[in-house]
């Protein structure tokens, strides 16, 4: 990527700047400026109703760190990431390994697993709220067959967050599956042919050839999913509303409510900074772990 | 799309069959909610009040869908979503192609620095800037307009990076010949390079359209008047009185109806959609 500057043709000219100017202007106004403004806001006492009451140093941050609801949303978000990321990797990898061929059958099955990804969060949550209906939902009907009655995950402190995790994995399993499929196709066929000649078992082939070959992709998918799942919002807002007793309220919902319901812009901006920092930290930690494993082998 | 070699050399049928049954079972679980909702959307509400069993038995009805057509705001929201998603798609293709060409093929002062800025923008999530972004649009009084709904997504750097990569992979010789003929730089881009980039345009176009159509957070905070709702926001607003579930057939019909446009798109452009979601041009 860093070779951008050397790969052009022709002499440098200011006129060529015109090609990138429209996008750079949009980027400056709609992304870079808000990042800067957000950082500034997080140190201000700025309330949409009361107006701007000046800088307050780190007060917004210290208030957040003493706010039990906010700390609860941090915990919920981390639990959600821990619940979903391994599921995305294990199920995504299993599907990719099983459906990695050119048959019509595999292609049809891939379409099924990918299909829900194109739906919006509102449609997905609408479908699943119906599935989770306590008396007539698909889940309740299915569990009734095996004699389980009265489970209403949406209002259960224990099951609310896992219920949201199930919806999320169902919704976007297509992305990890597709990324793993792409990685599997990069493995040279000769390696497998050699393994087949040696009569290497299926499990040994998986453990010693396939998995090591796609380790980079596994790390990439893990980082990607951590970043994506830290942003949990619509599913929680629309399925449980963050309840019961705040047990499924994620950080982004906290930002939404602080900023757009309670109109405390400085406070909400500070919470956004913490979310941003946590996401960067988690991604860096994951990449560092992946690299360390690379070095060890 | 998949190479056939992964399982080559394994003819132990039993293991294959166990694996296949497991995948089939998983697929059944995956598709069950959709089949269930589509099936029940054709059932009368008063029947669903009592029980949601008997999905394949009559009575059936189209009343739930007729009710949607009567509640005309759904169409209006769909139109809003279409305007926003198509607007974002056209504008993104335009500015991302220009910028991608600029970064991949031309030289200008400060290019390296600007490109690093674009790469860094990739790390910024929407949630980190939504509060200040909302404040900015409030200051210029643009909320509840199409401009406000369309603009913020244009800044996402994915399109520029995709186009930069794609243009860089195109052989430079054709361009060099045209430039020797002293064609202007823009003409070379417009007449020669842009037509070569159709596959990347299709990928980026579908990616942008889908994300625009399905966007939820920004329209939720920017469009506060019901007539400016997009489909995602409107549907969510209609779900708020979910507790009183007399009309679950109607809710199911809504879910099906709202999902139909993208599902049709998915059936026709699956290859492009899959590669767009994975972030690479279709092969």
């Amino acid at each position: 990527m860093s070779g951008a500057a050397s790969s052009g043709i022709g002499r440098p000219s200011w006129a060529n700047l015109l090609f990138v100017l429209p996008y750079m202007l949009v980027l400056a106004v709609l992304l870079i400026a808000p990042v800067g403004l957000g950082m500034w806001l997080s140190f201000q006492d700025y309330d949409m109703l009361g107006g701007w009451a000046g800088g307050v140093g780190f007060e917004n941050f210290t208030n957040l760190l003493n706010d039990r609801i906010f700390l609860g949303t941090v915990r919920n978000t981390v639990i959600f990431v821990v619940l979903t990321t391994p599921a995305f990797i294990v199920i995504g990898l299993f599907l990719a390994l099983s459906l990695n061929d050119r048959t019509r059958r595999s292609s049809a099955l891939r379409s099924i697993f990918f299909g829900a990804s194109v739906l919006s969060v509102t449609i997905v949550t609408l479908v699943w709220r119906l599935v989770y209906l306590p008396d007539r939902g698909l889940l309740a009907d299915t569990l009734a067959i095996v004699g389980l009655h009265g489970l209403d995950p949406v209002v259960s402190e224990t099951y609310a967050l896992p219920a949201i995790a199930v919806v999320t994995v169902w919704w976007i399993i297509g992305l990890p599956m597709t990324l793993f499929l792409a990685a599997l196709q990069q493995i040279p066929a000769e390696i497998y042919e050699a393994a087949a000649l040696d009569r290497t078992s299926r499990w040994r082939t998986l453990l010693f050839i396939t998995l090591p070959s796609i380790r980079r992709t596994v790390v990439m998918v893990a980082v990607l999913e951590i970043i994506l799942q830290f942003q949990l919002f619509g599913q929680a807002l629309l399925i449980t509303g963050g309840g019961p007793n705040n047990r499924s309220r994620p950080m982004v919902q906290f930002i939404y409510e602080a900023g757009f319901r309670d109109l405390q812009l400085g406070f909400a901006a500070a919470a956004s900074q913490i979310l941003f920092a946590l996401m960067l930290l988690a991604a860096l930690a994951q990449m560092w772990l992946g690299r360390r494993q690379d070095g060890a082998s | 799309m998949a190479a056939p070699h992964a399982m080559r050399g394994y003819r132990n049928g039993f293991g294959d069959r166990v694996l296949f049954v497991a995948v089939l079972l998983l697929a059944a679980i995956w598709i069950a909610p959709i089949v269930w909702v589509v099936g029940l959307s054709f059932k009368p509400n008063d029947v669903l009040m009592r029980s949601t069993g008997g999905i394949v038995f009559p009575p059936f009805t189209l009343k739930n869908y007729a009710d949607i057509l009567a509640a005309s705001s759904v169409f209006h929201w769909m139109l809003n979503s279409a305007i926003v998603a198509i607007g974002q798609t056209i504008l993104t293709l335009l500015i991302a192609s220009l910028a991608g060409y600029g970064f991949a093929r031309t030289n200008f002062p400060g290019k390296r620095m600007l490109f690093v800025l674009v790469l860094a923008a990739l790390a910024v999530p929407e949630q980190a800037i939504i509060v200040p972004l909302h404040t900015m649009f409030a200051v210029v009084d643009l909320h509840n307009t199409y401009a406000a709904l369309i603009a913020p997504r244009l800044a996402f750097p994915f399109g520029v990076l995709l186009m930069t990569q794609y243009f860089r992979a195109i052989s430079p010789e054709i361009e060099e010949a045209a430039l020797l003929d002293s064609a202007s730089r823009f003409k070379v881009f417009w007449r020669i390079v842009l037509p070569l980039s159709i596959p990347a345009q299709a990928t980026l176009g579908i990616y942008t359209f889908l994300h625009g159509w399905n966007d939820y957070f920004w329209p939720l905070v920017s469009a506060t008047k019901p007539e400016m709702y997009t489909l995602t926001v409107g549907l969510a607003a209609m779900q708020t009185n979910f507790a009183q579930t007399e009309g679950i057939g109607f809710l199911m019909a809504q879910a099906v109806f709202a999902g139909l446009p993208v599902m049709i798109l998915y059936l026709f452009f699956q290859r492009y959609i899959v590669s767009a979601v994975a972030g690479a041009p279709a092969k």
Side-chain angles (χ1 to χ4, degrees):
Chain A
M1 275 303 193
S2 57
S6 55
S7 62
I9 335 174
R11 253 176 284 151
S13 141
W14 284 101
N16 292 332
L17 195 62
L18 289 175
F19 281 110
V20 302
L21 195 63
Y23 175 71
M24 293 315 295
L25 286 177
V26 173
L27 181 71
V29 174
L30 295 174
L31 202 141
I32 297 171
V35 167
L37 183 61
M39 286 177 179
W40 179 78
L41 268 178
S42 60
F43 296 102
Q44 308 299 314
D45 179 3
Y46 191 11
D47 184 313
M48 223 189 272
L49 296 178
W52 180 50
V56 290
F58 283 92
E59 197 182 300
N60 288 325
F61 291 95
T62 50
N63 286 345
L64 279 169
L65 295 179
N66 290 310
D67 187 321
R68 296 182 92 187
I69 295 184
F70 177 72
L71 294 178
T73 65
V74 176
R75 187 200 57 203
N76 293 339
T77 308
V78 171
I79 292 175
F80 181 77
V81 170
V82 170
L83 284 175
T84 48
T85 303
F88 275 119
I89 290 175
V90 171
I91 301 175
L93 197 54
F94 172 72
L95 292 176
L97 287 167
S98 316
L99 302 176
N100 182 27
D101 58 54
R102 280 183 206 275
T103 59
R104 210 166 259 242
R105 194 172 75 181
S106 294
S107 156
L109 286 167
R110 285 197 303 266
S111 305
I112 287 176
F113 289 109
F114 193 88
S117 313
V118 302
L119 296 173
S120 70
V121 66
T122 352
I123 297 173
V124 169
T125 53
L126 183 50
V127 167
W128 278 88
R129 283 187 74 175
L130 293 164
V131 169
Y132 285 153
L133 275 179
D135 47 349
R136 290 159 290 169
L138 183 61
L139 181 70
D141 284 355
T142 312
L143 290 179
I145 296 173
V146 295
L148 271 171
H149 294 277
L151 178 69
D152 187 353
V154 171
V155 296
S156 148
E157 287 197 13
T158 319
Y159 294 116
L161 207 51
I164 297 170
V166 167
V167 175
T168 308
V169 173
W170 178 86
W171 180 25
I172 41 182
I173 192 65
L175 177 62
M177 179 184 77
T178 307
L179 295 173
F180 284 133
L181 276 167
L184 289 177
Q185 283 157 37
Q186 302 297 317
I187 305 174
E190 296 80 44
I191 303 184
Y192 286 106
E193 279 155 15
L197 284 178
D198 285 349
R199 298 187 172 278
T200 315
S201 79
R202 182 190 289 263
W203 276 110
R204 291 182 67 87
T205 312
L206 177 69
L207 283 179
F208 296 113
I209 299 178
T210 310
L211 289 184
S213 309
I214 60 169
R215 189 170 52 205
R216 273 166 187 281
T217 309
V218 176
V219 173
M220 182 190 82
V221 170
V223 172
L224 194 71
E225 289 299 342
I226 289 172
I227 291 174
L228 286 177
Q229 301 321 323
F230 254 108
Q231 305 178 30
L232 167 67
F233 174 56
Q235 303 98 293
L237 185 72
L238 293 169
I239 293 179
T240 65
N245 195 18
N246 296 321
R247 290 304 281 271
S248 65
R249 188 178 308 270
M251 289 177 78
V252 178
Q253 191 183 345
F254 184 91
I255 295 169
Y256 168 69
E257 287 166 346
F260 301 103
R261 188 192 62 194
D262 308 338
L263 306 177
Q264 300 175 304
L265 298 180
F267 193 54
S272 306
Q273 306 304 319
I274 295 181
L275 172 73
F276 193 10
L278 278 179
M279 282 167 63
L280 278 180
L281 267 180
L284 286 176
Q286 189 72 30
M287 276 196 283
W288 180 72
L289 278 175
R291 199 161 292 169
R292 215 175 55 152
Q293 275 178 2
D294 261 349
S297 61
Chain B
M1 94 178 246
H5 60 248
M7 292 297 162
R8 190 181 295 165
Y10 294 99
R11 294 284 176 266
N12 63 342
F14 181 70
D16 275 339
R17 237 168 287 160
V18 170
L19 201 67
F20 180 60
V21 169
V23 177
L24 220 53
L25 209 66
L26 213 53
I29 295 172
W30 236 260
I31 206 168
I34 302 265
V35 173
W36 184 72
V37 163
V38 172
L40 294 185
S41 69
F42 292 103
K43 305 280 280 184
N45 277 313
D46 52 323
V47 172
L48 295 176
M49 267 300 275
R50 274 175 276 126
S51 158
T52 51
I55 183 168
V56 290
F57 302 112
F60 298 112
T61 178
L62 286 173
K63 184 174 179 301
N64 296 322
Y65 287 91
D67 286 350
I68 294 179
L69 306 194
S72 56
S73 18
V74 171
F75 279 106
H76 190 73
W77 296 336
M78 245 182 203
L79 183 70
N80 284 347
S81 286
I83 292 172
V84 170
I86 292 172
Q88 279 173 349
T89 306
I90 293 172
L91 290 170
T92 298
L93 287 181
L94 198 71
I95 62 175
S97 302
L98 279 168
Y101 181 79
F103 282 124
R105 274 293 194 265
T106 70
N107 292 315
F108 52 85
K111 179 166 120 172
R112 186 182 288 267
M113 204 192 70
L114 291 181
F115 194 70
V116 168
L117 213 54
V118 178
L119 280 176
L122 211 52
V124 178
E126 181 189 18
Q127 290 79 7
I129 59 170
I130 198 151
V131 172
L133 204 57
H134 183 271
T135 310
M136 285 166 62
F137 277 88
V139 167
V140 290
D141 200 17
L142 269 177
H143 284 302
N144 290 301
T145 66
Y146 290 122
L149 286 172
I150 290 173
R153 268 203 184 274
L154 302 179
F156 291 6
F158 171 73
V160 175
L161 297 173
L162 183 81
M163 294 315 294
T164 304
Q165 250 177 357
Y166 196 84
F167 284 132
R168 221 180 267 165
I170 293 178
S171 155
E173 280 147 27
I174 325 167
E175 269 172 88
E176 278 161 355
L179 283 173
L180 284 179
D181 282 347
S182 69
S184 85
R185 203 70 212 229
F186 184 76
K187 215 175 202 172
V188 169
F189 162 73
W190 191 254
R191 293 265 175 81
I192 299 173
V193 183
L194 202 57
L196 290 175
S197 68
I198 300 288
Q201 305 282 348
T203 297
L204 178 57
I206 288 169
Y207 177 90
T208 311
F209 180 88
L210 262 184
H211 279 264
W213 181 272
N214 287 340
D215 201 6
Y216 178 57
F217 201 178
W218 177 249
L220 174 69
V221 300
S222 180
T224 49
K225 293 181 181 159
E227 67 266 26
M228 284 308 292
Y229 282 175
T230 58
L231 188 60
T232 47
V233 178
L235 264 187
M238 280 174 96
Q239 284 179 49
T240 46
N241 47 4
F242 196 87
Q244 36 180 350
T245 47
E246 295 106 59
I248 70 168
F250 178 61
L251 285 175
M252 290 179 171
Q254 267 187 26
V256 176
F257 187 74
L260 219 52
V262 279
M263 272 301 163
I264 292 171
L265 210 67
Y266 179 58
L267 285 179
F268 284 103
F269 298 108
Q270 193 182 339
R271 198 165 55 101
Y272 283 101
I273 289 178
V274 171
S275 64
V277 169
K283 280 171 209 150

